[in-house]
Amino acid sequence: MAECGRARPADPDAADSRTASPMAGKRRHQSSAAGHCFRRVTLTKPTFCHRCSDFIWGLLGFLCEVCNFMCHEKCLKMLQSPLCSCMAAALVRVPVAHCFGPAAQKKRFCCVCRKQMEGNLALRCEVCELHVHADCAVFSCADCRVCHLDGTLEQDTFHHHWREGNLPSAARCEVCRRSCGSSDVLAGMRCEWCGITSHAACYLSLPPECTMGRLGCMLLHPACVHLDSRNFSKMHCFRITESSGHDLDNSDDVDLSAVALKDGQPTTPDSGKQFLKVFDGDDAVRRGQFRLVSIVRASRNEEVVEAALRVFYLPDDPQDYELCEVGGLQRLHSDDILNRNGGPDSRSSLKDGGDAWLLRAKAHEAEVIKVHAGWSRSPETFVLVSVSTSSTAASVLAEACRQLDTQADDAAGFNLLEVFMSSRQVQRQTLTPQEKILDHLQEIRKVSLRQMNQTRFYVVENRNRPVQVSLLIGGLPPLLNKDQYTQLIQEHLTIKSHLVTITHIYASQGAVAMQISCFSEAERIYMLVKDTSVKNKALTSLVIPEIMHDKLDQDVCPLLVFVNPKSGGLKGRELLYCFRKLLNPHQVFDISNGGPLAGLHTFREVPSFRVLVCGGDGTVGWVLGVLETVRHKLVCREPPIGIVPLGTGNDLARILRWGAGYSSEEPGHILACVDEAEEVLMDRWTILLDAQDISEDGKDNHFLEPPKIVQMNNYFGLGIDAELSLDFHQAREDEPDKFTSRFHNKGVYVKVGLQKISYTRSLHKELQLQVDAQTIPLPNIEGLIFLNIPSWGSGADLWGSEVDSRYGKPSIDDGLLEVVGVTGVVHMGQVQSGLRSGIRIAQGNYIRLIVSKPIPVQVDGEPWIQPPGHIIISAAGPKVRMLRKSKQKQKKSSAGGKDGRSESPPSRDGGL
């Protein structure tokens, strides 16, 4: 096994080497350093070396029979890395589970079997750069990025987190500066934090410490994030919606027999080969999950066992294993010849997959296990401890503490921790002092040999740490006081008051933050909230990490990222995926899961941070609105905000130089632009809509509905402009699946505009306008628009560039609104084409409107029908700080090529 070996070999680390079959000794080569089992093969098609990425000239190559690693003969002699897939668990420093979701339809290679991934059975981790087949996921281990501290396994120095393969084709080695990327094979190494890339033959010469690279100034360092997450999956910790991987949650339910089908269908009886069903333990037998092992019909037991070990990625000596027939006591002995020809006396035919066998580990009276140090200050990463039938957890702990030099008189202050490093969940169990270690190992092997290969032992300090789990509960009725929220939560969730404390109340958002001092109670509340509704509104629950702001470097200004995955078709989803990999996933928030409040609450104590909003103008307005209501609870009350335009119009992004729309720009380049962007101020406006019954003489009769207050960032329109927006909004509500691209959205706008081309409405007869307490006569217009930014309707200049001594030059921070009229759809089309501008009416900072009839209105693209009454527009408190892209970066991004081939995040150092 990877973490324990038999005592019989002279080398205590004999488990790290692979013994080839004696019959194949002339054609097989072992690489004890890397765990591979090579076979000389004749090449029949162009092939590249997985170690150096170079083309293999000639007809001779060496192929690993376990992981399909291919290399030159010259590379075989110097091979130290990468390790075989069966040895992946040996490289894990701190076990962290993966968050698997469906992979995009792009060319990628499996990190386990190294073959190209195709179809719907491909998975990717949402946090790191692991790509696997669905049937290979169970053989990957918990080697995801460490994104936070949980108090269990510590590390003082932060090392590179290397991931092999799937590099951009333009990647260059940090050591030799040669190209190390490949689109043909799984080759090259990349640090998933700083982004540097290297050849597999070069990366070991780099310093182990990671500096976080070019984006370190905006990255939330894992050492600054704490999260007690014992009872929560990584999907919950990183707020990843379960719909992305809901069907993939149980990796143990994957049909492992599908592996054989990747290389073709089972052969016919005349081919000379046979397929055996092999199970790796009682759990696999119970679930009916087996692997098909292809062997020659006349094969000795040792060869069959070796083939079975290969398909289960077990790096062990075949002499330590045996095959037992499922449901019987028959065993294959060393001198047996497996020769079932499919005749009438065979137990099963080749049609149904052949015989079913159970791979078992032979019992031994002594073994050697690795025991790892659970703290980073130890000079040794692990020690080897011999165990026998009389060894207990207490004796192993005492011996490990002695070898690790814990400087303690006894092992009373330590525990022996067993960790199962499954790719989807890391399970920890503290062993009782009297537990027999050898019996425990045999029991694990009996259940699953694969589980034993992914199990290791740690010596950890026995500390009673206080548990603090933070949850943010949303969906509650707004504008209640603390006592009312406490009573409401107690009524629906029956919380234990001595374990739960409400720490923050966001009444305007209908949300509360609570701190829970018990794992089981936190898990119970979290799961119960998802099935609870209050006043017919479903509640939401999010796990919130603690940012230790006092550990942040002074030159670090973390970036808080909000992504609307529903914007821009699938581009929002891919941006969310890329930003989670380039940054710490704890600073990247899916805004459709809990809204902006979750991110702002997480960053509430960070002294200085920036915000990046990926979405349309409506998403930006959403973030600005929530920020306005909770800014008094933030240490950094005015974080500057940048934009990645994913909407249809993107007018605010245009005037801040972020572009008309997202066009597959490299996410790493976007982050570099955010880092170098300049801060500007922008006005925000409050619109009071007081619906009243207005008589013909303009007097109020009675209220029609309660007053409504909305915030405006871009523009406010009445009449034909708002009516087109309303028709578009209704069409999108009827068929939302069709509105996935800006091109289609604009086509619908044109269609609804043509339908209104003969529309006539004397708006000047229905409105009375006052600007700065002066009554302004209205011309004969069909639409009235109030502009805060010099961009309207997807970039049109409605105000115009002509100089007029009556008005000042418009600016986003001048404290003034521009009032413009349009005469109809034709006029709006001419403005969009740049042939005309709107009719300038006024400019001021306090607007009052009297509306005598119901009229369509829209604020920043959100339309509705407004009843008659009063409308007042005034400045909304302090100006907001926005990020404007530098002109130099804007020119580079527009002139540079749009390489949208790579789904993987680019290097953080290169090309930025």
Side-chain angles (χ1 to χ4, degrees), residues 771-847:
V771 179
D772 294 338
Q774 294 185 3
T775 301
I776 305 296
L778 292 175
N780 188 5
I781 56 176
E782 303 294 336
L784 186 65
I785 303 165
F786 301 86
L787 299 173
N788 183 45
I789 60 174
S791 179
W792 168 85
S794 301
D797 185 6
L798 188 59
W799 181 259
S801 58
E802 296 85 0
V803 178
D804 192 334
S805 59
R806 297 175 298 171
Y807 309 110
K809 184 178 180 180
S811 175
I812 62 174
D813 62 344
D814 58 3
L816 298 175
L817 284 176
E818 286 70 47
V819 185
V820 189
V822 291
T823 59
V825 173
V826 175
H827 187 186
M828 292 171 60
Q830 292 172 332
V831 172
Q832 293 280 357
S833 304
L835 302 176
R836 290 181 61 184
S837 58
I839 302 173
R840 296 180 181 179
I841 296 175
Q843 195 177 43
N845 60 11
Y846 185 84
I847 311 294

Coordinates of all heavy atoms in Angstrom, one line a residue, residues 771-847:
V771 N -37.5 70.9 -12.7 CA -36.1 70.7 -12.5 C -35.5 71.8 -11.7 O -35.6 73.0 -12.0 CB -35.3 70.6 -13.9 CG1 -33.8 70.4 -13.7 CG2 -35.9 69.5 -14.8
D772 N -35.0 71.4 -10.5 CA -34.5 72.4 -9.5 C -35.5 73.5 -9.3 O -35.3 74.7 -9.3 CB -33.2 73.0 -10.1 CG -32.1 72.0 -10.2 OD1 -32.1 71.0 -9.5 OD2 -31.1 72.3 -10.9
A773 N -36.8 73.0 -9.0 CA -37.9 73.9 -8.6 C -38.4 74.8 -9.7 O -39.2 75.7 -9.5 CB -37.5 74.7 -7.4
Q774 N -37.9 74.6 -10.9 CA -38.4 75.3 -12.1 C -39.2 74.4 -13.0 O -38.8 73.3 -13.4 CB -37.2 75.9 -12.9 CG -36.5 77.0 -12.0 CD -35.4 77.7 -12.9 OE1 -35.2 77.4 -14.1 NE2 -34.6 78.6 -12.3
T775 N -40.4 74.9 -13.4 CA -41.2 74.1 -14.3 C -40.7 74.2 -15.7 O -40.4 75.3 -16.2 CB -42.7 74.7 -14.3 OG1 -43.2 74.6 -13.0 CG2 -43.6 73.9 -15.2
I776 N -40.5 73.1 -16.3 CA -39.9 73.0 -17.7 C -41.0 72.5 -18.7 O -41.6 71.4 -18.5 CB -38.7 72.0 -17.7 CG1 -37.7 72.4 -16.6 CG2 -38.1 71.9 -19.1 CD1 -37.0 73.7 -16.8
P777 N -41.3 73.3 -19.7 CA -42.2 72.9 -20.7 C -41.7 71.7 -21.5 O -40.5 71.8 -21.9 CB -42.5 74.1 -21.5 CG -41.2 75.0 -21.3 CD -40.7 74.7 -19.9
L778 N -42.5 70.8 -21.8 CA -42.0 69.6 -22.6 C -42.4 69.8 -24.0 O -43.5 70.2 -24.3 CB -42.6 68.3 -22.0 CG -42.1 67.9 -20.6 CD1 -42.9 66.7 -20.2 CD2 -40.7 67.6 -20.6
P779 N -41.5 69.4 -25.0 CA -41.9 69.4 -26.4 C -42.8 68.2 -26.7 O -43.0 67.4 -25.8 CB -40.5 69.3 -27.1 CG -39.6 68.7 -26.1 CD -40.1 69.1 -24.8
N780 N -43.2 68.1 -27.9 CA -44.0 66.9 -28.3 C -43.1 65.7 -28.5 O -42.4 65.5 -29.5 CB -44.7 67.2 -29.7 CG -45.7 66.1 -30.0 OD1 -45.9 65.2 -29.3 ND2 -46.3 66.3 -31.2
I781 N -43.0 64.8 -27.4 CA -42.1 63.7 -27.4 C -42.9 62.4 -27.0 O -44.0 62.5 -26.5 CB -41.0 63.9 -26.4 CG1 -41.6 64.2 -25.0 CG2 -40.0 65.0 -26.9 CD1 -40.5 64.4 -23.9
E782 N -42.3 61.3 -27.3 CA -42.9 60.0 -26.9 C -42.2 59.4 -25.7 O -42.7 58.4 -25.1 CB -42.9 59.0 -28.1 CG -43.5 59.6 -29.4 CD -45.0 59.7 -29.2 OE1 -45.6 59.0 -28.3 OE2 -45.7 60.5 -29.9
G783 N -41.0 59.8 -25.4 CA -40.2 59.2 -24.3 C -39.4 60.3 -23.6 O -38.9 61.2 -24.3
L784 N -39.3 60.2 -22.3 CA -38.5 61.1 -21.5 C -37.4 60.3 -20.7 O -37.8 59.3 -20.0 CB -39.4 61.9 -20.6 CG -38.7 63.0 -19.7 CD1 -38.2 64.1 -20.7 CD2 -39.7 63.6 -18.7
I785 N -36.2 60.7 -20.8 CA -35.1 59.9 -20.2 C -34.2 60.8 -19.4 O -33.8 61.9 -19.8 CB -34.2 59.2 -21.3 CG1 -35.2 58.3 -22.2 CG2 -33.1 58.3 -20.7 CD1 -34.5 57.9 -23.5
F786 N -33.8 60.3 -18.2 CA -32.9 61.0 -17.3 C -31.6 60.2 -17.2 O -31.6 59.1 -16.8 CB -33.6 61.1 -15.9 CG -34.9 61.8 -15.9 CD1 -36.1 61.2 -16.2 CD2 -34.9 63.2 -15.7 CE1 -37.3 61.8 -16.2 CE2 -36.2 63.9 -15.7 CZ -37.3 63.2 -15.9
L787 N -30.5 60.9 -17.6 CA -29.2 60.2 -17.8 C -28.3 60.6 -16.6 O -28.1 61.8 -16.3 CB -28.6 60.6 -19.1 CG -29.3 60.3 -20.4 CD1 -28.6 60.9 -21.6 CD2 -29.4 58.8 -20.6
N788 N -27.7 59.5 -16.1 CA -26.6 59.8 -15.1 C -25.2 59.5 -15.7 O -24.2 60.0 -15.3 CB -26.8 58.9 -13.9 CG -25.7 59.1 -12.8 OD1 -25.4 60.2 -12.5 ND2 -25.1 58.0 -12.3
I789 N -25.2 58.7 -16.8 CA -23.9 58.4 -17.5 C -24.1 58.7 -19.0 O -25.2 58.6 -19.5 CB -23.6 56.9 -17.3 CG1 -24.7 56.0 -17.9 CG2 -23.4 56.5 -15.8 CD1 -24.3 54.5 -17.9
P790 N -23.0 59.0 -19.6 CA -23.1 59.4 -21.1 C -23.2 58.1 -22.0 O -22.5 58.1 -23.0 CB -21.8 60.2 -21.3 CG -20.9 59.6 -20.3 CD -21.7 59.2 -19.1
S791 N -24.0 57.1 -21.6 CA -24.2 56.0 -22.5 C -25.6 55.5 -22.2 O -26.0 55.3 -21.1 CB -23.1 54.9 -22.1 OG -23.3 53.7 -22.9
W792 N -26.3 55.2 -23.3 CA -27.7 54.7 -23.2 C -28.0 53.8 -24.3 O -27.5 53.9 -25.4 CB -28.6 56.0 -23.3 CG -30.1 55.6 -23.5 CD1 -31.0 55.3 -22.5 CD2 -30.8 55.6 -24.8 NE1 -32.2 55.1 -23.1 CE2 -32.1 55.2 -24.5 CE3 -30.4 55.7 -26.1 CZ2 -33.1 55.0 -25.5 CZ3 -31.3 55.6 -27.1 CH2 -32.7 55.2 -26.8
G793 N -28.8 52.7 -24.0 CA -29.2 51.8 -25.0 C -28.1 51.1 -25.8 O -28.0 51.2 -27.0
S794 N -27.2 50.5 -25.0 CA -26.0 49.8 -25.5 C -25.0 50.7 -26.2 O -24.5 50.4 -27.3 CB -26.5 48.7 -26.5 OG -27.3 47.8 -25.9
G795 N -24.7 51.8 -25.6 CA -23.6 52.6 -26.0 C -23.9 53.8 -26.8 O -23.0 54.6 -27.2
A796 N -25.2 54.2 -27.0 CA -25.6 55.4 -27.8 C -25.4 56.6 -27.0 O -25.6 56.6 -25.7 CB -27.0 55.2 -28.2
D797 N -25.0 57.7 -27.6 CA -24.8 59.0 -27.0 C -26.0 59.8 -27.1 O -26.2 60.5 -28.1 CB -23.6 59.7 -27.6 CG -23.2 61.0 -26.9 OD1 -23.9 61.3 -25.8 OD2 -22.3 61.7 -27.4
L798 N -26.9 59.7 -26.2 CA -28.2 60.3 -26.3 C -28.2 61.8 -26.1 O -28.9 62.6 -26.8 CB -29.2 59.7 -25.3 CG -30.7 60.1 -25.4 CD1 -31.3 59.7 -26.7 CD2 -31.5 59.4 -24.2
W799 N -27.3 62.3 -25.3 CA -27.2 63.7 -25.0 C -26.5 64.4 -26.2 O -26.8 65.5 -26.5 CB -26.4 63.9 -23.7 CG -26.2 65.4 -23.3 CD1 -25.1 66.1 -23.5 CD2 -27.2 66.2 -22.7 NE1 -25.3 67.4 -23.0 CE2 -26.6 67.5 -22.5 CE3 -28.5 66.1 -22.3 CZ2 -27.2 68.6 -21.9 CZ3 -29.1 67.1 -21.7 CH2 -28.5 68.4 -21.5
G800 N -25.6 63.8 -26.8 CA -24.8 64.4 -27.9 C -23.6 65.1 -27.5 O -23.4 65.4 -26.3
S801 N -22.7 65.3 -28.5 CA -21.4 66.0 -28.2 C -21.4 67.4 -28.6 O -20.4 68.1 -28.4 CB -20.3 65.2 -29.0 OG -20.6 65.2 -30.4
E802 N -22.5 68.0 -29.1 CA -22.5 69.4 -29.5 C -22.4 70.3 -28.2 O -22.9 70.0 -27.1 CB -23.8 69.8 -30.2 CG -24.0 69.0 -31.5 CD -24.7 67.7 -31.3 OE1 -24.9 67.3 -30.1 OE2 -24.9 67.0 -32.3
V803 N -21.6 71.4 -28.4 CA -21.4 72.3 -27.3 C -22.6 73.2 -27.2 O -23.0 73.8 -28.2 CB -20.1 73.1 -27.5 CG1 -19.9 74.1 -26.4 CG2 -18.9 72.2 -27.6
D804 N -23.1 73.4 -26.0 CA -24.3 74.3 -25.8 C -24.0 75.1 -24.5 O -23.7 74.5 -23.4 CB -25.5 73.4 -25.6 CG -26.8 74.3 -25.6 OD1 -26.7 75.5 -25.3 OD2 -27.9 73.7 -26.0
S805 N -24.0 76.4 -24.7 CA -23.7 77.2 -23.5 C -24.7 77.1 -22.4 O -24.4 77.5 -21.3 CB -23.5 78.7 -24.0 OG -24.8 79.1 -24.6
R806 N -25.9 76.6 -22.7 CA -26.9 76.5 -21.6 C -26.6 75.4 -20.7 O -27.1 75.4 -19.5 CB -28.3 76.3 -22.3 CG -28.7 77.5 -23.1 CD -30.1 77.1 -23.8 NE -29.9 75.9 -24.7 CZ -30.9 75.3 -25.2 NH1 -32.2 75.7 -25.0 NH2 -30.7 74.3 -26.0
Y807 N -25.8 74.4 -21.1 CA -25.6 73.2 -20.3 C -24.1 72.9 -20.1 O -23.3 73.3 -21.0 CB -26.3 72.0 -20.9 CG -27.7 72.2 -21.3 CD1 -28.1 72.2 -22.6 CD2 -28.7 72.3 -20.3 CE1 -29.5 72.4 -22.9 CE2 -30.0 72.5 -20.6 CZ -30.4 72.6 -21.9 OH -31.7 72.8 -22.2
G808 N -23.8 72.3 -19.0 CA -22.4 71.9 -18.8 C -22.1 70.5 -19.5 O -23.0 69.8 -19.8
K809 N -20.8 70.2 -19.6 CA -20.5 68.9 -20.1 C -20.8 67.8 -19.2 O -20.4 67.8 -18.0 CB -19.0 68.9 -20.4 CG -18.5 67.6 -21.1 CD -17.0 67.6 -21.4 CE -16.6 66.3 -22.1 NZ -15.1 66.3 -22.4
P810 N -21.6 66.8 -19.6 CA -22.0 65.7 -18.7 C -20.8 64.9 -18.1 O -19.8 64.7 -18.8 CB -22.9 64.8 -19.5 CG -23.3 65.7 -20.7 CD -22.1 66.6 -21.0
S811 N -20.9 64.5 -16.9 CA -19.9 63.7 -16.2 C -20.6 62.8 -15.2 O -21.7 63.1 -14.7 CB -18.9 64.6 -15.5 OG -18.0 63.8 -14.8
I812 N -20.0 61.6 -14.9 CA -20.7 60.7 -14.0 C -20.6 61.2 -12.5 O -21.3 60.6 -11.7 CB -20.1 59.3 -14.1 CG1 -18.6 59.3 -13.7 CG2 -20.3 58.7 -15.5 CD1 -18.0 57.9 -13.7
D813 N -19.8 62.2 -12.2 CA -19.7 62.6 -10.9 C -19.9 64.1 -10.7 O -19.5 64.8 -9.8 CB -18.3 62.3 -10.3 CG -17.2 63.0 -11.1 OD1 -17.5 63.5 -12.2 OD2 -16.0 63.1 -10.6
D814 N -20.7 64.7 -11.6 CA -21.0 66.2 -11.6 C -22.2 66.5 -10.7 O -22.5 67.7 -10.5 CB -21.1 66.8 -13.0 CG -22.3 66.1 -13.7 OD1 -23.0 65.2 -13.2 OD2 -22.5 66.4 -14.9
G815 N -22.9 65.5 -10.2 CA -24.0 65.8 -9.3 C -25.2 66.3 -10.1 O -26.2 66.8 -9.5
L816 N -25.3 66.1 -11.4 CA -26.4 66.5 -12.3 C -26.9 65.4 -13.1 O -26.2 64.5 -13.5 CB -25.9 67.7 -13.2 CG -25.4 68.9 -12.5 CD1 -24.8 69.9 -13.6 CD2 -26.5 69.6 -11.7
L817 N -28.2 65.5 -13.4 CA -28.9 64.6 -14.3 C -29.2 65.3 -15.6 O -29.5 66.5 -15.6 CB -30.2 64.0 -13.7 CG -30.1 62.9 -12.7 CD1 -31.5 62.6 -12.2 CD2 -29.4 61.7 -13.2
E818 N -29.0 64.6 -16.7 CA -29.3 65.2 -18.0 C -30.7 64.7 -18.4 O -31.0 63.5 -18.4 CB -28.3 64.8 -19.1 CG -27.0 65.5 -19.0 CD -26.2 65.1 -17.8 OE1 -26.1 63.9 -17.6 OE2 -25.7 66.0 -17.1
V819 N -31.6 65.6 -18.8 CA -33.0 65.3 -19.2 C -33.1 65.4 -20.7 O -32.9 66.4 -21.3 CB -34.0 66.2 -18.5 CG1 -35.4 65.8 -18.8 CG2 -33.8 66.3 -17.0
V820 N -33.5 64.2 -21.3 CA -33.5 64.1 -22.8 C -34.8 63.5 -23.2 O -35.4 62.7 -22.6 CB -32.3 63.3 -23.3 CG1 -32.2 63.4 -24.8 CG2 -31.0 63.7 -22.7
G821 N -35.3 64.0 -24.4 CA -36.5 63.5 -25.0 C -36.3 62.8 -26.3 O -35.3 63.1 -27.0
V822 N -37.2 61.8 -26.7 CA -37.1 61.2 -28.0 C -38.5 61.2 -28.5 O -39.5 61.1 -27.8 CB -36.6 59.7 -27.9 CG1 -35.2 59.7 -27.5 CG2 -37.4 58.9 -26.9
T823 N -38.6 61.3 -29.9 CA -39.9 61.5 -30.5 C -40.6 60.2 -30.9 O -41.7 60.2 -31.4 CB -39.8 62.4 -31.7 OG1 -38.8 61.8 -32.7 CG2 -39.3 63.8 -31.4
G824 N -39.9 59.1 -30.8 CA -40.5 57.8 -31.2 C -39.4 56.8 -31.5 O -38.2 57.0 -31.3
V825 N -39.9 55.6 -32.0 CA -39.0 54.5 -32.3 C -38.0 54.9 -33.4 O -36.8 54.5 -33.3 CB -39.8 53.3 -32.7 CG1 -38.9 52.1 -33.2 CG2 -40.7 52.8 -31.5
V826 N -38.4 55.6 -34.4 CA -37.5 56.0 -35.5 C -36.4 56.9 -35.0 O -35.2 56.7 -35.3 CB -38.3 56.7 -36.6 CG1 -37.3 57.2 -37.7 CG2 -39.3 55.8 -37.2
H827 N -36.8 57.8 -34.1 CA -35.8 58.7 -33.5 C -34.8 57.9 -32.6 O -33.6 58.1 -32.7 CB -36.5 59.7 -32.6 CG -35.5 60.8 -32.1 ND1 -35.9 61.8 -31.2 CD2 -34.2 61.0 -32.3 CE1 -34.9 62.5 -30.9 NE2 -33.9 62.1 -31.5
M828 N -35.3 56.9 -31.9 CA -34.4 56.1 -31.1 C -33.4 55.3 -32.0 O -32.3 55.1 -31.7 CB -35.2 55.1 -30.2 CG -36.0 55.8 -29.1 SD -37.2 54.7 -28.3 CE -36.1 53.5 -27.6
G829 N -33.9 54.8 -33.1 CA -33.1 54.1 -34.0 C -32.0 54.9 -34.6 O -30.8 54.5 -34.8
Q830 N -32.3 56.2 -34.9 CA -31.3 57.1 -35.4 C -30.3 57.4 -34.4 O -29.1 57.6 -34.7 CB -32.0 58.4 -35.9 CG -32.9 58.2 -37.1 CD -33.7 59.5 -37.4 OE1 -34.1 60.3 -36.5 NE2 -34.1 59.6 -38.7
V831 N -30.7 57.5 -33.1 CA -29.7 57.8 -32.0 C -28.8 56.6 -31.9 O -27.6 56.7 -31.8 CB -30.4 58.0 -30.7 CG1 -29.4 58.0 -29.5 CG2 -31.2 59.3 -30.8
Q832 N -29.4 55.3 -32.0 CA -28.5 54.1 -31.9 C -27.5 54.1 -33.1 O -26.4 53.6 -32.9 CB -29.4 52.9 -32.0 CG -30.3 52.7 -30.8 CD -29.6 52.1 -29.6 OE1 -28.4 51.8 -29.7 NE2 -30.3 52.0 -28.4
S833 N -27.9 54.6 -34.2 CA -27.0 54.6 -35.4 C -26.0 55.7 -35.4 O -25.2 55.8 -36.3 CB -27.9 54.6 -36.7 OG -28.8 53.6 -36.7
G834 N -26.2 56.6 -34.5 CA -25.2 57.8 -34.4 C -25.6 58.9 -35.4 O -24.8 59.8 -35.6
L835 N -26.8 58.8 -36.0 CA -27.2 59.9 -36.9 C -27.8 61.1 -36.3 O -27.7 62.2 -36.8 CB -28.2 59.3 -37.9 CG -27.8 58.1 -38.8 CD1 -29.0 57.6 -39.6 CD2 -26.6 58.4 -39.6
R836 N -28.4 60.9 -35.1 CA -29.0 62.1 -34.4 C -28.7 61.9 -32.9 O -28.2 60.8 -32.5 CB -30.5 62.1 -34.6 CG -30.9 62.5 -36.0 CD -32.5 62.5 -36.0 NE -33.1 63.5 -35.1 CZ -34.4 63.6 -34.9 NH1 -35.2 62.9 -35.6 NH2 -34.8 64.5 -34.0
S837 N -29.0 62.9 -32.2 CA -29.0 62.8 -30.7 C -30.4 63.1 -30.2 O -31.3 63.5 -31.0 CB -27.9 63.8 -30.1 OG -28.2 65.1 -30.5
G838 N -30.6 63.0 -28.9 CA -31.9 63.3 -28.3 C -32.1 64.8 -28.2 O -31.3 65.6 -28.6
I839 N -33.3 65.1 -27.8 CA -33.7 66.5 -27.6 C -33.4 66.9 -26.2 O -33.9 66.4 -25.2 CB -35.3 66.7 -27.8 CG1 -35.6 66.2 -29.3 CG2 -35.7 68.1 -27.6 CD1 -37.1 66.1 -29.5
R840 N -32.4 67.8 -26.1 CA -32.0 68.3 -24.8 C -33.1 69.1 -24.1 O -33.6 70.1 -24.8 CB -30.7 69.1 -24.9 CG -29.5 68.3 -25.4 CD -28.3 69.1 -25.5 NE -27.1 68.4 -26.0 CZ -25.9 68.9 -26.1 NH1 -25.7 70.2 -25.8 NH2 -24.9 68.1 -26.6
I841 N -33.4 68.8 -22.9 CA -34.5 69.5 -22.2 C -34.0 70.2 -21.0 O -34.4 71.4 -20.8 CB -35.6 68.5 -21.8 CG1 -36.3 67.9 -23.1 CG2 -36.7 69.2 -21.0 CD1 -37.3 66.8 -22.8
A842 N -33.2 69.6 -20.2 CA -32.8 70.3 -19.0 C -31.6 69.5 -18.4 O -31.2 68.4 -18.8 CB -33.9 70.4 -17.9
Q843 N -31.0 70.1 -17.3 CA -30.0 69.6 -16.6 C -30.1 70.1 -15.1 O -30.2 71.3 -14.9 CB -28.6 70.0 -17.2 CG -27.4 69.2 -16.7 CD -26.1 69.6 -17.4 OE1 -25.9 70.8 -17.6 NE2 -25.3 68.6 -17.8
G844 N -30.1 69.1 -14.1 CA -30.3 69.6 -12.8 C -30.1 68.4 -11.8 O -29.8 67.3 -12.2
N845 N -30.2 68.7 -10.5 CA -29.9 67.7 -9.5 C -31.2 67.4 -8.6 O -31.1 66.6 -7.7 CB -28.8 68.2 -8.6 CG -29.1 69.5 -7.8 OD1 -30.2 70.0 -7.8 ND2 -28.1 70.0 -7.2
Y846 N -32.3 68.0 -8.9 CA -33.5 67.7 -8.2 C -34.7 67.7 -9.2 O -35.0 68.7 -9.8 CB -33.8 68.6 -7.0 CG -35.0 68.3 -6.2 CD1 -34.9 67.3 -5.2 CD2 -36.3 68.8 -6.4 CE1 -36.0 67.0 -4.4 CE2 -37.4 68.5 -5.6 CZ -37.2 67.5 -4.6 OH -38.3 67.2 -3.9
I847 N -35.3 66.5 -9.4 CA -36.3 66.4 -10.4 C -37.6 66.0 -9.7 O -37.7 65.2 -8.8 CB -36.0 65.3 -11.4 CG1 -34.5 65.4 -11.9 CG2 -37.0 65.2 -12.6 CD1 -34.3 66.7 -12.8

